[in-house]
Amino acid sequence: SLAEVPFDREEDGELARCFEAAHNRARIIHWRDHTGKAIMDSLIQAVNANPNITMLTGCTAVDLALTKSGTCVGAHVLHEATGEVVTLLGGSTILATGGCGEVYEHTSNPREARGDGIAMAIRCGAVVENMEYMQFHPTTLYIPGERRFLCTEALRGEGARLLDASTERNAFAKDYHPDGELAPRDVVARMILSQMEKTNTLHAYLDISHRDAEWLKRRFPAIYAHCLSRGIDITTEPMPVVPAAHYHCGGLRVDLAGRTSVPNLYAAGEVSCTGLHGANRLASTSLLEALVWGKSVAREVNQTLGLVWSKSANWFGPGVAREALRDITLPPGGGSDAEAAEVARIRLRIQRTTWNLVGIVRQPAVLEEAVVRLEEMLNEAEELFLGSNVSSEVVGLRNIATVALAIARAAAANPKSIGTHHLVPNDEQPWDEDAAAKVHAGAEAGAEAGAEVPPGPLGGGEGAGLGAGSEPAPPGEGASGNAGPKRVQRVPSANVLTGL
C-alpha cells in the first residue's frame, strides 16, 4: 500500500511551501513543524499493513554476516529479551539505520542515533567517505540539564530573528552574512558561537514573537507546546538556542541504486553517502534523498529477490557459492553484565572528545590529538564488549567509539577547510578562554559518572562554549540482565536494518 503523507496545503489546495536557509525561494513542503515524523508515521503504517513484511522489535544488530569471500548475507542480531544472538540471512541486506549524532555530547538526534550501521559496515571493510562532514544545526533549545530539542530551520524561514543574550538583545545575523538568518547552516552556527563569545554568554535567542500568535500555534504546534512546557511562550518571548550536532553528510559510499562496496549490502538515508550533500547539506534535502534512494534500493532488490529465494538452511543469496560464514567476535558467554556507570563513563568521554576536539571549529594539531585519544577509547570499548554479556548499550558504545574515530581520522586527514569542516590555524585561538570556561556542560553529571573531561580547543572549558546540560546514560538503562553463554541461531530472512 502507498504511504500517504498529509502535507500542509494552502486554502486553494496547493501544497504549502516555505523558505529555509540557503534556498533562494520557498520550495519546502511540510507537515506543520514535524515533517520527518509525518513521513515516518505514514511509512510505518504502510509497513505494518503489508503482510509480506515482518517487523522485529526489541532487537539490536551486532554485526553484519559475511561469507568467507566477503559477500553480505544478513546480520547477527541480539534478541534483547533472551540475550541470544541470532543470524538473520537474506539475499539482500539494507542498512537504513539513520545518523550518528550520539557521537557528540550535544545533539538534536535521539539516543538511538549511534552510527550503528556505519560502524558495522566499517568493521566488515565497506568503503566510507566524507566522514569529517558533520553538520551542526544552529538552533536547538538551550535548557540546562536537558537533551537538545530541535528548533527547526523553518522558524527562520518564516521570519524568526537571531538575537544575542546581552541585556540589549541585539540582532546580529546580518553583521556576519548578507543573508542573515538564512545563510548556510555552518555559517549560522559559527556566527552564533562568535556572538556568544563577544557577549560572554551561554546561548543566543531565536525570536519569532512578532508573528501572529494563533498562526504560530498552528504552524509550529510541537515547538510551541514543548517550549511552553518549559515556561517559554514563543508567541511573546524568544527561545534560548545553541548549536548542536545534527546531520552526518558522510557515510557508506553508495551508487545510484544504493549499492555499497560490499556485495549484496545496500544503504539508504543518513547512513549512506550519495554525494548529494557535499560538505554541507542544504536544508530539508535529507528527507528527499532518503525517499529517492529508498525507492531506488527497493527497485534494485525487487529485481533479484524473487529469483533467489529459498528456505534451505544453506542458502546465502544470488550468485553466492554455498560457503561458510565468517566468524564474528562475540564475548565467550557466562560473564556478567557491563556496569552501567562504566558504559556511561566511556561514552561521555568519547562524546566530549568529539565535541571539544572535532566540533564546529577545528584545528589540525587538535584533530591529531583527538585521533590518539579516540583510538584509546575504542580499545576500551572493545575490551568492555568482549568482557561482558552482549547488550544494546555495550554494542552502542562500541559503535559510537568506532564512528567517532572514523570522523576524527577523516577530519585530521583533510587539510582543506570547507563547509562543515571548518579549520583554523594551529596558532589561532578560536574561542575566548574566559567565555568558554563559564560553560560547565553538565559537569556535575559528568563527575557523578566519573568521566575525565578532555580540554577543548576552544579554550579548555568543558563544552567549549556551546551550552550546558549533557547527562550520561542513567545507571542501569539498557543493560541486559541475562547471563550465560550466547547461542547463535541462523534464520533465513530478507533484511532491512533500521534505527526505529
Side-chain angles (χ1 to χ4, degrees):
S1 61
L2 294 176
E4 297 185 2
V5 182
F7 292 114
D8 292 340
R9 294 183 178 272
E10 304 289 358
E11 292 182 0
D12 61 2
E14 290 294 313
L15 288 168
R17 294 173 173 85
C18 72
F19 268 102
E20 289 195 5
H23 290 270
N24 60 9
R25 67 193 67 182
R27 56 157 61 98
I28 310 302
I29 62 175
H30 51 81
W31 182 78
R32 301 177 184 174
D33 53 354
H34 262 48
T35 309
K37 183 179 185 300
I39 293 174
M40 232 172 64
D41 288 347
S42 297
L43 285 171
I44 291 172
Q45 184 177 356
V47 166
N48 286 334
N50 192 318
N52 293 328
I53 300 175
T54 300
M55 290 274 285
L56 299 179
T57 58
C59 297
T60 297
V62 179
D63 265 315
L64 296 170
L66 302 179
T67 64
K68 294 287 188 181
S69 61
T71 296
C72 183
V73 292
H76 304 290
V77 176
L78 168 68
H79 193 285
E80 295 168 17
T82 65
E84 291 182 330
V85 176
V86 300
T87 303
L88 303 181
L89 300 179
S92 301
T93 300
I94 306 163
L95 291 173
T97 51
C100 55
E102 272 295 291
V103 165
Y104 285 85
E105 184 179 9
H106 303 292
T107 178
S108 63
N109 295 180
R111 282 185 58 85
E112 293 78 14
R114 310 179 304 192
D116 291 348
I118 297 176
M120 291 189 295
I122 287 174
R123 287 194 289 271
C124 78
V127 175
V128 296
E129 63 182 355
N130 292 356
M131 290 295 291
E132 65 268 42
Y133 299 123
M134 170 61 76
Q135 185 176 78
F136 293 81
H137 200 285
T139 54
T140 64
L141 191 65
Y142 172 75
I143 303 292
E146 289 192 8
R147 290 183 66 83
R148 297 293 174 253
F149 176 81
L150 182 66
C151 296
T152 174
E153 191 135 329
L155 285 162
R156 285 177 281 131
E158 298 286 8
R161 300 169 298 183
L162 285 169
L163 310 174
D164 64 34
S166 67
T167 54
E168 293 82 11
R169 301 278 177 93
N170 297 307
F172 60 86
K174 290 283 188 179
D175 297 338
Y176 292 89
H177 194 279
D179 291 336
E181 284 83 358
L182 293 179
R185 284 182 177 176
D186 63 315
V187 175
V188 179
R190 289 195 299 273
M191 71 169 67
I192 290 174
L193 293 187
S194 178
Q195 198 68 14
M196 286 164 58
E197 177 187 7
K198 287 182 179 179
T199 56
N200 198 26
T201 52
L202 303 182
H203 59 80
Y205 283 108
L206 186 65
D207 186 20
I208 197 168
S209 61
H210 55 282
R211 296 297 304 266
D212 177 73
E214 293 307 313
W215 177 86
L216 279 174
K217 294 175 187 179
R218 291 193 305 271
R219 178 67 178 87
F220 301 106
I223 293 174
Y224 172 76
H226 182 87
C227 289
L228 197 63
S229 70
R230 272 75 181 168
I232 303 166
D233 185 347
I234 67 171
T235 67
T236 61
E237 60 186 318
M239 299 159 268
V241 294
V242 290
H246 181 60
Y247 187 89
H248 190 219
C249 298
L252 278 73
R253 179 192 294 170
V254 297
D255 63 12
L256 292 176
R259 289 181 290 249
T260 72
S261 62
V262 176
N264 291 3
L265 178 65
Y266 299 81
E270 193 172 348
V271 68
S272 69
C273 181
T274 66
L276 176 67
H277 305 307
N280 189 20
R281 176 175 72 90
L282 190 64
S284 285
T285 54
S286 56
L287 292 176
L288 187 60
E289 179 202 46
L291 293 172
V292 170
W293 260 265
K295 183 176 181 179
S296 181
V297 169
R299 185 186 301 115
E300 175 73 15
V301 170
N302 281 337
Q303 289 176 352
T304 60
L305 189 61
L307 302 177
V308 301
W309 176 250
S310 168
K311 293 185 178 179
S312 60
N314 57 359
W315 169 79
F316 291 131
V320 180
R322 290 190 171 106
E323 57 177 313
L325 294 180
R326 289 184 188 178
D327 293 330
I328 63 166
T329 303
L330 288 175
S336 58
D337 295 340
E339 292 288 337
E342 179 67 2
V343 174
R345 183 187 70 82
I346 300 173
R347 184 181 183 123
L348 188 58
R349 285 182 62 213
I350 294 168
Q351 292 169 327
R352 287 189 172 173
T353 298
T354 52
W355 183 252
N356 289 333
L357 309 189
V358 200
I360 298 174
V361 180
R362 302 169 176 180
Q363 291 174 298
V366 173
L367 292 172
E368 293 174 4
E369 173 64 20
V371 170
V372 172
R373 295 187 187 187
L374 289 168
E375 285 175 342
E376 296 174 354
M377 294 176 203
L378 176 57
N379 289 335
E380 286 187 62
E382 289 282 6
E383 289 176 5
L384 189 63
F385 172 77
L386 293 175
S388 56
N389 292 327
V390 182
S391 71
S392 179
E393 284 297 309
V394 174
V395 169
L397 175 66
R398 182 193 191 203
N399 291 338
I400 285 172
T402 300
V403 175
L405 179 57
I407 291 173
R409 282 175 171 167
N414 186 356
K416 186 174 182 179
S417 181
I418 182 172
T420 58
H421 180 59
H422 184 77
L423 294 171
V424 296
N426 288 327
D427 59 357
E428 182 176 323
Q429 175 93 358
W431 193 258
D432 179 76
E433 184 166 358
D434 291 335
K438 284 187 61 180
V439 183
H440 47 76
E444 293 180 358
E448 290 177 4
E452 300 173 12
V453 182
L458 307 183
E462 299 160 11
L466 285 177
S470 292
E471 296 179 3
E477 179 177 305
S480 170
N482 301 288
K486 300 294 181 289
R487 180 164 57 89
V488 176
Q489 301 174 341
R490 288 178 181 162
V491 184
S493 175
N495 305 307
V496 180
L497 305 181
T498 77
L500 298 179

